[in-house]
Amino acid sequence: MFGSFERMVAKRYLRARKGERFVSIIAIFSLIGIALGVGTLIVVMAVMNGFKADLLGRILGLNGDLSVYSQSYDGPTSLRGYNNLSNRIEQMPHITSAIPFIEGQVLISAGNFNSGGMVRGMAASGLKKLKVISKTLDPTVLKQFQGDDVIIIGETLAEQANLGVGSRLTLISPKGSATVMGNIPRIKSYRIIGIFDSGMHEYNSSYVFLPMRAAQKYFQLDDEVTGIQIFSNDSTHIQAVTHQLENSFRNDNLKFVDWTQSNNAFFGAVQVEQNVMFLILALIILVAAFNVISSLIMMVKDKTRDIAILRTMGASRGAIMRIFLMCGASVGVTGTLIGTVLGILFCKNIEHIRQGLQKITGTNLFNPEVYYLEHLPAKLDWSDVIQVMSMALFLSLLATLYPSWKAAKTDPVEALRNE
C-alpha cells in the first residue's frame, strides 16, 4: 500500500529540523496523550474486571451459587428434613455440594466492644467445604468445631475487639424467650477456637460461625435450618441450574434464589460503573486524536511548498495522501503500542505499586472498609486490551484522513504562486 518513496518522505517529515520544532513537539504530545489514554484505559478495565471477579468469587465462596428456602419462608425456622433434601440436591447434575445452614443477626459483645453481626451455623463438614473460610484455618480447628461453646470469628473483628484464640465472645439476640416480664434477649458466651480471613472486610468484621447444634440451640430450633446453600461447577450459567432444580423440586414447596437474583443490584451497579469509566477514559484517547489532527494540519500547512514541488515532479494525489497518512498513523500506532505495554506492565505489578505509593505518601490508597476487598485486584482480559487498541488505532487513523485529503487537494500552481 505504501511505496518506498512515500515511506522515505514520511520518515523525513517526522524528523524535525531547525525551524520545524513546534510541529514536532505537538506530534510528540499527541503520541504521549494516546499512550497515556490507552495505558490508563487498560489499567482501569483490568482493575474493574478484577474487582468484579474477586468480589464475586468471595461472595459465592461464602454464600454459594444459590440457596434454597421453604416456599413459606418466615424466619430461620422454616426448613425441615434438611439432611435428606441436601443429599437429593447433591445428586443433581452440575451440583458439587449442598450445605445446610442457620443464619441470624445478633449483637456481638466483648468487653467495651459492641457491634452488629451475623451468625452462620453449620456442621464442620459444611464449613470445610467453604474453601474461602476453611483454607485460612488450621486443620485442628475444624476438629474442634463441635459442641455448644465454640465459635470462629473473622480477622478484622478479632483486631477491633482485641480478641484471640481462647478469648470469649458474647452473642446477644433480640429474639429472646417470652416471659411475664416481656421478651428477654438471649445472651450466650462462646470460646474462640479459630480466626478466619475471607479477604473481604465486611465478612471479616461481622460474620461468626457456630457449630450446627450450637446454632440450633441458640436460635431455639429443634431440627430445622434457615436454608441450604448450593455450589455448582459453573457459576456463570447458574440460571440454567436454578431452572433445573425448580423443575425437579416443584412439588416440595421450595424457593431457589441464585446469586444473580440476590446480588443483582450490586453487580449491576458495578457493571454500570465499569461502562461509564470506559466512556470517560476513552475521551482521553479522543482528545489525543484531535491533537493528531491539529499537528497534521500544521504539518500540511508547513509543507505546502514541498507538496507543490512533489506534485510537479510527478507525485500523484494518492501518493501525497499516503505520505501524510503515514505521518499521522505512525504517531497513533506508536502511541498505542507504548500505552499498551505500559498498561500491561502496570497491571502485572499494580499491588506492588500501590504498596510502594502508600509507603511514600503515608496514606491508605485502598481502604477495605470502602472497597470491600483488602487488596487491589487486577484481571487482565485480553479481549479488553484488543478492544482498547482497536479503538485507539481507529481514532488515530480517522484523525489523519482530513489533513491527508487536504494535502492531496493542494493545487501546485497556486501553492508555488503564493510562495
Side-chain angles (χ1 to χ4, degrees):
M1 181 178 177
F2 300 100
S4 58
F5 163 73
E6 295 154 6
R7 291 196 299 270
M8 179 191 68
V9 175
K11 186 177 180 181
R12 159 66 188 80
Y13 284 172
L14 287 172
R15 291 200 306 266
R17 295 189 302 179
K18 186 176 181 180
E20 302 173 352
R21 301 289 184 186
F22 185 68
V23 176
S24 180
I25 290 173
I26 295 177
I28 291 173
F29 277 108
S30 302
L31 186 149
I32 294 174
I34 292 174
L36 289 177
V38 171
T40 303
L41 196 51
I42 289 174
V43 171
V44 169
M45 294 300 291
V47 170
M48 295 298 293
N49 287 334
F51 179 79
K52 185 177 180 180
D54 205 351
L55 196 60
L56 179 62
R58 296 183 187 280
I59 289 176
L60 299 188
L62 184 65
N63 299 306
D65 298 336
L66 70 153
S67 299
V68 55
Y69 307 96
S70 172
Q71 189 66 37
S72 57
Y73 178 69
D74 186 20
T77 61
S78 56
L79 195 58
R80 299 176 180 274
Y82 57 88
N83 285 324
N84 181 48
L85 179 59
S86 61
N87 290 333
R88 290 171 58 194
I89 292 175
E90 286 184 341
Q91 301 303 316
M92 300 295 296
H94 309 295
I95 302 299
T96 58
S97 62
I99 307 171
F101 69 94
I102 296 173
E103 191 171 71
Q105 292 183 334
V106 296
L107 175 66
I108 300 173
S109 178
N112 296 325
F113 174 83
N114 294 283
S115 175
M118 186 72 69
V119 171
R120 183 69 66 87
M122 59 179 55
S125 58
L127 184 61
K128 185 177 181 180
K129 295 177 182 178
L130 295 181
K131 298 300 182 182
V132 70
I133 301 295
S134 61
K135 70 180 181 181
T136 63
L137 296 173
D138 190 277
T140 59
V141 174
L142 294 177
K143 297 179 180 179
Q144 302 174 43
F145 192 65
Q146 55 185 339
D148 301 335
D149 188 48
V150 296
I151 193 170
I152 296 174
I153 67 172
E155 186 179 69
T156 306
L157 177 59
E159 292 176 357
Q160 292 175 345
N162 195 24
L163 298 171
V165 175
S167 303
R168 299 198 72 85
L169 184 72
T170 301
L171 303 181
I172 305 172
S173 174
K175 296 181 179 179
S177 304
T179 67
V180 293
M181 303 295 293
N183 275 346
I184 299 178
R186 291 193 301 274
I187 303 175
K188 172 68 175 174
S189 176
Y190 296 91
R191 179 173 55 88
I192 300 173
I193 62 170
I195 299 175
F196 68 84
D197 178 16
S198 66
M200 284 191 65
H201 180 271
E202 183 181 1
Y203 294 154
N204 288 349
S205 62
S206 59
Y207 270 69
V208 297
F209 288 87
L210 290 176
M212 177 66 78
R213 187 55 200 156
Q216 289 176 331
K217 185 176 180 180
Y218 181 77
F219 289 109
Q220 297 180 342
L221 305 177
D222 293 328
D223 194 21
E224 302 168 348
V225 295
T226 302
I228 300 174
Q229 56 189 68
I230 304 169
F231 292 85
S232 68
N233 54 14
D234 187 6
S235 59
T236 57
H237 298 91
I238 193 60
Q239 293 176 331
V241 177
T242 304
H243 184 67
Q244 168 191 297
L245 291 171
E246 288 174 343
N247 290 335
S248 301
F249 294 91
R250 64 178 59 174
N251 298 323
D252 292 285
N253 295 323
L254 298 175
K255 180 180 181 181
F256 293 89
V257 180
D258 59 53
W259 69 266
T260 61
Q261 297 170 309
S262 57
N263 298 283
N264 183 53
F266 181 79
F267 285 104
V270 172
Q271 186 63 48
V272 170
E273 184 177 353
Q274 184 176 10
N275 295 335
V276 171
M277 291 294 290
F278 180 87
L279 291 175
I280 293 174
L281 293 172
L283 294 178
I284 300 177
I285 302 177
L286 185 61
V287 171
F290 278 111
N291 287 337
V292 173
I293 295 177
S294 62
S295 64
L296 208 55
I297 289 176
M298 293 184 66
M299 182 182 291
V300 171
K301 194 71 175 175
D302 188 60
K303 302 296 183 183
T304 302
R305 184 181 179 183
D306 293 6
I307 295 171
I309 294 174
L310 288 173
R311 289 294 312 279
T312 58
M313 292 175 61
S316 65
R317 288 185 174 181
I320 299 298
M321 187 171 183
R322 286 192 291 272
I323 288 172
F324 287 95
L325 276 174
M326 287 184 65
C327 291
S330 61
V331 173
V333 171
T334 305
T336 300
L337 293 177
I338 293 175
T340 301
V341 172
L342 289 176
I344 292 174
L345 291 176
F346 198 97
C347 290
K348 295 295 186 181
N349 301 278
I350 191 167
E351 183 62 20
H352 298 294
I353 295 173
R354 179 185 74 89
Q355 293 176 2
L357 290 175
Q358 283 188 170
K359 291 180 180 178
I360 295 173
T361 61
T363 58
N364 189 354
L365 301 179
F366 193 76
N367 191 344
E369 295 183 10
V370 177
Y371 299 102
Y372 297 98
L373 302 176
E374 297 185 344
H375 69 281
L376 185 59
K379 180 182 179 183
L380 198 62
D381 190 337
W382 292 107
S383 62
D384 287 340
V385 175
I386 294 173
Q387 182 183 3
V388 173
M389 290 182 63
S390 301
M391 182 185 66
L393 291 173
F394 173 76
L395 291 176
S396 301
L397 293 176
L398 189 65
T400 63
L401 291 180
Y402 175 74
S404 302
W405 175 80
K406 197 69 175 175
K409 295 285 289 184
T410 301
D411 186 351
V413 177
E414 291 296 324
L416 292 175
R417 180 184 295 126
N418 292 333
E419 286 291 336

